[in-house]
Amino acid sequence: MGTVILEGQLLCKDAAEVELVKELLPEHIRLTKAEPGCISFTVTQSQDPWVWLVNEEFADGAAFEAHQQRAAASTWGRRTSGLQRSYEVTGL
């Protein structure tokens, strides 16, 4: 079983969503990078301030699934659940 990579975008529909991402993202990144099996995790604002570029790499499918579960149950997951996401996952 090889690495799992997620690449894509988090798409905000208004300035309030942009501010929510800015507020919650630092803690989400910190918690994710501390997870077992997290190789890399970046979320950066693109030239379009309402679009965030997401790149994740996990050691294997189990680490990726554990991240998905933890993130969904977190403050980040709960408060950003309505934001549009466009992701492609390879390696599962």
Side-chain angles (χ1 to χ4, degrees):
M1 189 183 257
T3 61
V4 176
I5 296 173
L6 179 149
E7 294 178 302
Q9 299 175 334
L10 179 65
L11 307 160
C12 297
K13 69 175 183 269
D14 57 30
E17 286 187 350
V18 172
E19 290 308 310
L20 180 65
V21 171
K22 286 181 177 180
E23 174 191 340
L24 299 177
L25 189 57
E27 180 69 358
H28 178 54
I29 291 172
R30 185 188 71 75
L31 291 171
T32 299
K33 286 183 173 184
E35 292 174 9
C38 177
I39 296 170
S40 66
F41 185 84
T42 60
V43 182
T44 54
Q45 204 167 19
S46 71
Q47 289 185 345
D48 178 338
W50 292 13
V51 176
W52 300 79
L53 306 177
V54 181
N55 291 283
E56 306 177 6
E57 185 175 4
F58 288 87
D60 54 34
F64 178 75
E65 292 300 330
H67 164 68
Q68 293 296 306
Q69 291 177 11
R70 187 214 51 85
S74 71
T75 299
W76 166 265
R78 290 189 308 275
R79 294 193 52 204
T80 67
S81 64
L83 274 62
Q84 182 181 351
R85 291 162 165 86
S86 175
Y87 298 149
E88 181 177 323
V89 178
T90 56
L92 281 180

